[in-house]
Amino acid sequence: MLEKVGSELQSRYTYTDIDAFFAALDISTSNVDSGGSNSKRVYAKAVLSRVPEAILLKVAGELDIVSAGSSFAQVTPPRNWQDTKAFRLFISHISKDKLIATRLKDALAKYDIAGFVAHEDIHPTLPWQDEIERGLQTMDALIAVHTVGFSASIWTQQEIGYALGRGTKVISFKMGEDPTGFIGKHQALPRRNRTAEQIAEEIDKLLAADPRTAERLQEAKDIARAF
């Protein structure tokens, strides 16, 4: 959405017009670091990267990118993603191996990648399935942790199917079991006795090399540096 809004502002307005547009919506443009770029799109994205998601959706509505009743506007990220601009990576795993998923999540944080681990990140008072669906709807990519028993889980297979249906980047991480089904034809990321930190480094490289995720990942890193 940030990319769509930035591109729309670039096509419609001059820099002066963009500043006036932001001022009308009480959006501050002070101390904005656009990375030295002369692009109106990059400038607009730098400004909007600092605002809450509700304000971004309001801007999108003003530009007719989304309507007030659109399904996009109604999607709320899971709790642990609501206050982050980091890259959103859904970590699909089976419950008995939640510690492996959590360890990977912690290692990925260094790369401005916010992992979602269902068995850790869902608050006890929140509906479990609803939070998983929100994670799937708002993720930037998914990694499947293929420990023994993963392919037999109805939940993990549904999560992968959802990601593939959206055209989302899926990484298969092989930890004792080969990927099956539609993702079985793609080469999996092997464990090879590497640490979580080493695996996280390779995941970062894979996401940076894929056109579906490269820009979003770089955007997350740029925002983190700006703050």
Side-chain angles (χ1 to χ4, degrees):
M1 180 55 65
L2 194 63
E3 176 65 25
K4 289 181 179 179
V5 170
S7 297
E8 187 66 22
L9 288 170
Q10 175 176 255
S11 66
R12 290 194 192 189
Y13 302 134
T14 64
Y15 276 105
T16 301
D17 292 335
I18 290 174
D19 282 340
F21 178 85
F22 286 147
L25 294 173
D26 294 322
I27 297 173
S28 174
T29 59
S30 61
N31 301 318
V32 172
D33 181 9
S34 60
S37 171
N38 292 321
S39 167
K40 290 181 289 183
R41 177 183 62 82
V42 172
Y43 170 69
K45 287 172 62 177
V47 172
L48 293 172
S49 68
R50 308 186 302 176
V51 306
E53 191 162 298
I55 299 299
L56 176 60
L57 289 171
K58 181 178 179 180
V59 171
E62 291 287 336
L63 296 171
D64 295 322
I65 294 174
V66 298
S67 62
S70 70
S71 58
F72 184 95
Q74 294 172 359
V75 175
T76 300
R79 182 168 178 161
N80 74 310
W81 280 348
Q82 289 179 12
D83 297 317
T84 183
K85 301 294 185 182
F87 186 95
R88 298 169 175 176
L89 182 66
F90 191 102
I91 304 177
S92 181
H93 66 288
I94 54 178
S95 59
K96 74 178 181 66
D97 294 316
K98 64 181 179 180
L99 293 181
I100 294 174
T102 300
R103 182 73 185 88
L104 181 59
K105 171 189 171 180
D106 292 342
L108 286 164
K110 171 184 176 181
Y111 301 97
D112 303 303
I113 298 173
F116 176 82
V117 177
H119 296 88
E120 177 192 66
D121 293 322
I122 296 177
H123 194 271
T125 61
L126 295 174
W128 183 70
Q129 186 172 335
D130 288 349
E131 280 291 277
I132 290 177
E133 290 176 358
R134 292 188 186 102
L136 293 169
Q137 290 169 335
T138 57
M139 66 183 170
D140 296 311
L142 179 146
I143 183 165
V145 183
H146 294 271
T147 52
V148 176
F150 183 91
S151 63
S153 167
I154 295 174
W155 290 100
T156 57
Q157 297 309 301
Q158 287 182 334
E159 288 164 0
I160 291 174
Y162 192 101
L164 293 175
R166 280 187 56 194
T168 302
K169 168 73 172 178
V170 175
I171 297 173
S172 295
F173 177 31
K174 182 178 177 181
M175 287 197 67
E177 185 176 275
D178 291 324
T180 58
F182 288 114
I183 59 173
K185 63 181 179 180
H186 300 295
Q187 183 174 1
L189 174 63
R191 169 73 187 280
R192 291 177 183 165
N193 295 319
R194 289 179 291 181
T195 64
E197 287 76 16
Q198 290 171 320
I199 293 296
E201 181 180 7
E202 185 160 355
I203 291 170
D204 177 62
K205 291 178 180 177
L206 289 172
L207 294 172
D210 194 299
R212 290 171 292 179
T213 52
E215 184 171 359
R216 174 70 186 90
L217 179 62
Q218 187 58 52
E219 179 181 275
K221 294 178 186 296
D222 290 344
I223 292 171
R225 282 196 292 268
F227 286 90

